[in-house]
Amino acid sequence: MNILSENTAFGGMQGVFSHDSKACNCEMTFAVFVPPQAVDGPCPVLWYLSGLTCSHANVMEKGEYRRLAAELGIIIVCPDTSPRGKEIPDELTNWQLGKGAGFYVDATVSPWQLNFQMYTYITEELPALIGSHFRADMERQGIFGHSMGGHGAMTIALRNPDRFKSCSAFAPIVSPSTSDWAIGAFKQYLGDDKAAWRAYDACALVEDGARFPEFLIDQGKADGFLEDGLKPWLFEEAIKGTDIALTLRMHERYDHSYYFISTFMEDHLRWHAARL
């Protein structure tokens, strides 16, 4: 593991690191904030998954999480959104596919399958690294994210309910199988058989029997992607008749930006802390 940067913030350490990923067959970068409480013992871990076109840096620079994470004693892990490098497949004119758009799936179709194994990377390889190198209590993990990352957080939680104690999302893509934002990428990564898509679709996972105790979702009503890409009401409909609890908060005037995320970041951190 290579140290790219380390900075003191609110008594803790904000670091950026890289390592050779076996899952993604390339060098991957991630950020970790370790609170000052880690000096005294292991701290719970909260994963933040970013959205399309983003990297680890967006939330690290705009998310405004460090002050409260230091107060609450939570490690924040911010992975990248896809493999990167000169040899990595990409579509330069399509921001919804390739670099910056891994969708947290394990691709099965050429040329993507060699590198785009983001589900395995997030659920297996990177957690092993975090558990080995940071003072992390891996028995207390939560996960949240934004947009594509909200989709990733929800599907990963639904598929791993014994691992995660909490899950929330900012403006998530709850039904990528029906979302204009995701259909093209799913076809490229997973092929035309929509049955394979269901493992990475929160609504479909619930329909197929996956369960997680509760979710918190914040969504801006002025989000330009609300009607075509996000559609949180579909998840609200999917969980009817289940024991899944949902707090869905719709906010007037808020859009899809990090101004929205930073506004409600404290709510999410406190919500996770109460469950971790």
Side-chain angles (χ1 to χ4, degrees), residues 22-200:
K22 292 183 179 179
C24 296
N25 196 31
C26 66
E27 185 176 59
M28 295 291 288
T29 300
F30 63 95
V32 180
F33 176 73
V34 181
Q37 292 88 336
V39 172
D40 299 319
C43 295
V45 179
L46 183 55
W47 297 80
Y48 179 89
L49 306 185
S50 293
L52 285 160
T53 74
C54 294
S55 71
H56 69 280
N58 295 74
V59 69
M60 189 179 76
E61 296 169 356
K62 304 175 185 178
E64 301 182 20
Y65 59 80
R66 276 175 290 270
R67 179 193 59 79
L68 190 58
E71 175 187 318
L72 298 172
I74 299 175
I75 293 173
I76 309 290
V77 180
C78 308
D80 202 348
T81 53
S82 76
R84 297 182 192 269
K86 292 182 179 179
E87 306 303 320
I88 303 299
D90 195 18
E91 285 196 5
L92 296 178
T93 59
N94 185 359
W95 58 275
Q96 297 169 331
L97 184 70
K99 296 175 188 177
F103 272 94
Y104 305 102
V105 306
D106 281 349
T108 57
V109 177
S110 179
W112 311 101
Q113 84 277 22
L114 180 62
N115 305 106
F116 283 73
Q117 300 296 309
M118 288 300 294
Y119 179 83
T120 294
Y121 178 70
I122 297 295
T123 61
E124 296 181 20
E125 186 174 22
L126 191 53
L129 198 67
I130 298 299
S132 296
H133 291 274
F134 301 90
R135 303 201 74 180
D137 182 352
M138 303 305 282
E139 297 300 314
R140 292 187 291 162
Q141 295 186 67
I143 189 167
F144 69 148
H146 170 230
S147 193
M148 177 185 73
H151 137 77
M154 292 175 69
T155 55
I156 288 171
L158 283 163
R159 292 177 62 175
N160 299 273
D162 295 334
R163 178 183 303 183
F164 296 98
K165 297 183 179 297
S166 57
C167 180
S168 71
F170 302 100
I173 306 171
V174 301
S175 179
S177 298
T178 64
S179 168
D180 293 344
W181 267 19
I183 289 174
F186 271 39
K187 285 182 178 179
Q188 291 272 7
Y189 294 148
L190 303 171
D192 292 326
D193 183 5
K194 292 188 177 181
W197 300 10
R198 299 184 70 83
Y200 303 103

Side-chain angles (χ1 to χ4, degrees), residues 4-10 12-16 32-33 60 66:
L4 302 184
S5 66
E6 287 183 320
N7 300 96
T8 299
F10 298 99
M13 184 277 295
Q14 176 67 69
V16 179
V32 180
F33 176 73
M60 189 179 76
R66 276 175 290 270

